[in-house]
Amino acid sequence: MQTSPTYKQTWHRHDQIREISLEEAHSRLRPIMQAKDGAVNKCVISLSGLNFQTFEKLAKWEDQGSRVADWDWRKVRKHYRTHPKRFELAIWHNKLFLAGASIGRPTWSGNKLRLDFIEANPTGSPLTGLITDIVILSAEVYAQAIGAHQIRIMHPVNDAVKNHYLSKANFAYNPKGNFCFREL
């Protein structure tokens, strides 16, 4: 008789999957990418999970008046910390400047990956214009690693953001669920 993995084993397994997925996503970035203010070499971009340092920097974003959505990243952290299969991503410029972040989780069936929060640094960064593309690429790699066949960007905060997601290759919108999605 086969036993189910323990919570700790599941947690450890998905920590490894997240780490390997972020390494793979970084390897798939184009060597030179076009950001809003010019070309960016992928060697200045690093991807990581969300750790204490990341959440400290995200908390500072809450004081910025130029945010599109007023998410409380401390509450987000509390909500997701018990989800071992969660997707999490911090996008760094030169390993010092937090340029973007995202968090989500698989749907209950496990065959779709929800991206519940995506945010670019509200003060801008050298990676402005690339955050969504990096999040989508990283989410696709993670989704494939966990056996999901669709990514969903949940609850776009306004029509401009929704249209931004829909401008990405092969994304469609589900008005009933209020999410943009792409099959993998």
Side-chain angles (χ1 to χ4, degrees):
M1 176 183 350
Q2 185 173 351
T3 60
S4 297
T6 66
Y7 181 79
K8 187 175 180 177
Q9 289 169 327
T10 300
W11 190 277
H12 179 69
R13 179 173 170 259
H14 281 84
D15 278 345
Q16 290 177 322
I17 291 170
R18 275 191 294 277
E19 186 177 326
I20 292 167
S21 294
L22 292 179
E23 290 171 9
E24 176 62 22
H26 189 272
S27 75
R28 292 185 190 183
L29 292 173
R30 292 184 313 273
I32 304 292
M33 294 171 284
Q34 189 61 43
K36 181 180 178 186
D37 293 330
V40 175
N41 189 313
K42 90 172 189 177
C43 70
V44 302
I45 299 170
S46 57
L47 309 178
S48 72
L50 302 177
N51 57 27
F52 182 77
Q53 175 191 12
T54 309
F55 281 106
E56 280 188 335
K57 292 187 181 287
L58 286 169
K60 292 177 183 175
W61 290 6
E62 295 171 17
D63 299 329
Q64 303 298 320
S66 58
R67 294 177 75 205
V68 176
D70 291 327
W71 293 314
D72 182 336
W73 280 97
R74 286 177 224 105
K75 287 182 182 177
V76 170
R77 179 182 188 206
K78 286 180 183 178
H79 177 76
Y80 283 88
R81 71 178 173 199
T82 59
H83 290 277
K85 298 178 183 180
R86 72 190 174 280
F87 168 81
E88 57 181 53
L89 173 64
I91 303 168
W92 300 88
H93 181 263
N94 285 329
K95 297 185 181 180
L96 298 171
F97 187 83
L98 183 62
S102 181
I103 196 165
R105 61 173 177 77
T107 58
W108 293 113
S109 66
N111 59 3
K112 298 167 186 73
L113 178 64
R114 302 167 44 114
L115 300 178
D116 295 309
F117 299 92
I118 300 173
E119 188 169 8
N121 191 312
T123 62
S125 79
L127 305 181
T128 297
L130 295 174
I131 301 304
T132 302
D133 294 329
I134 294 170
V135 169
I136 290 170
L137 172 64
S138 301
E140 285 181 348
V141 172
Y142 182 72
Q144 290 168 341
I146 64 170
H149 60 79
Q150 183 186 86
I151 61 168
R152 294 178 173 183
I153 303 175
M154 305 302 295
H155 310 291
V157 295
N158 58 39
D159 283 342
V161 170
K162 178 179 78 173
N163 292 333
H164 173 68
Y165 297 147
L166 291 174
S167 73
K168 305 302 176 185
N170 302 315
F171 268 90
Y173 179 68
N174 179 312
K176 184 176 179 184
N178 189 19
F179 60 84
C180 298
F181 67 97
R182 175 159 74 191
E183 301 295 332
L184 303 180

